[in-house]
Amino acid sequence: MSKPRIATTSLCGCFGCHMSLLDIDDRILALAELVTFDRSPINDYKEFQGRCAVGLIEGGCANAENVHVLRRFREQCDILISVGDCAISGGLPALRNMVPLAECLREAYVSGPSVHNPAERIPDDPEIPLLLDKVYPAHEVVHIDYHLPGCPPSADTLWQALTALLGGKSIELPYALIKYD
Ligand code: SF4
C-alpha cells in the first residue's frame, strides 16, 4: 500500500515553523516511514507529484503568488492545516495592515531613513509578485481544516497533530502543548 503524501509550504513566513517541524529530531525517521513528502521546501520539490493527504501552510498571504500557491494546496490536499500564527492571523507581517500599501512602499523604497533613490522608482518588474493591499490569514483565502497556533507551534505539537491525522484520528492536544505562558 502506498504511503500518504504530505506537502508543506512557506507563504509570508520566516521558515521558523518549518524549523519546528525539523525539530522533531529522530522522529523525522519515523515520519519518513509513515509518509512520502510531496511538494515542500524540505525536499525542494516545486510542483505536486500527486494528491496529498495533508498540507501544512506556514505564513499568511502577502502577495499574488502566496494566493496562487495556497489555492493550489487547497486543490491538491485533502486536509489543510494553518501552522503558526502567521498562517492563522497574518502574524508580524500583518503589522503593515495598519498602513496603506502606497505608504508602505514609499517608506521602504523612497523616503525611509536609509534609502537612497533619487529617481523615486518603486520596483515594478513583472517578475515580482504583486503585493496585496494587506496580509491575509490563510483561512480568509481558502477553507482551512485545522489551526495549530504558536510562533512556532512546538515540534511535539506538530508531531502529535500529524500522527493523529495520519492514523485517522481527530487532533486532541494536551493543554501543555497549547499554552503560551
Ligand atoms: Fe515564523 Fe512565527 Fe510566523 Fe512561524 S508563526 S512563520 S515561526 S514568525
Side-chain angles (χ1 to χ4, degrees):
M1 199 175 82
S2 63
K3 295 190 278 188
R5 311 180 74 83
I6 68 172
T8 78
T9 189
S10 180
L11 304 176
C12 188
C14 75
F15 277 93
C17 290
H18 274 80
M19 290 296 118
S20 196
L21 178 61
L22 296 179
D23 206 28
I24 60 176
D25 298 327
D26 55 348
R27 288 172 292 183
I28 197 89
L29 299 174
L31 188 60
E33 288 294 316
L34 284 174
V35 302
T36 300
F37 272 91
D38 201 285
R39 176 179 175 163
S40 171
I42 292 170
N43 54 18
D44 210 22
Y45 286 177
K46 304 281 195 285
E47 294 297 336
F48 282 98
Q49 313 294 304
R51 178 124 198 112
C52 292
V54 178
L56 303 179
I57 305 297
E58 169 189 304
C61 288
N63 64 38
E65 190 201 13
N66 296 154
V67 172
H68 172 75
V69 171
L70 181 55
R71 288 188 174 145
R72 195 74 190 109
F73 265 68
R74 183 66 277 179
E75 285 166 6
Q76 286 294 124
C77 301
D78 296 336
I79 296 171
L80 214 51
I81 306 177
S82 276
V83 177
D85 294 345
C86 292
I88 292 171
S89 68
L92 273 183
L95 285 177
R96 81 162 164 92
N97 291 0
M98 294 178 284
V99 182
L101 178 58
E103 256 183 69
C104 290
L105 290 170
R106 199 161 170 82
E107 176 71 13
Y109 294 109
V110 178
S111 56
S114 60
V115 177
H116 177 70
N117 181 4
E120 300 198 358
R121 175 133 190 241
I122 292 175
D124 60 356
D125 190 290
E127 289 208 357
I128 301 172
L130 271 181
L131 281 177
L132 304 180
D133 61 331
K134 59 179 191 167
V135 179
Y136 292 84
H139 67 269
E140 287 190 13
V141 178
V142 298
H143 173 72
I144 294 290
D145 301 289
Y146 294 95
H147 295 84
L148 292 180
C151 181
S154 70
D156 288 338
T157 305
L158 291 165
W159 172 254
Q160 290 223 15
L162 274 178
T163 49
L165 288 175
L166 293 168
K169 300 179 189 143
S170 57
I171 301 176
E172 286 181 22
L173 297 172
Y175 176 68
L177 291 184
I178 47 172
K179 75 174 179 70
Y180 301 99
D181 53 1

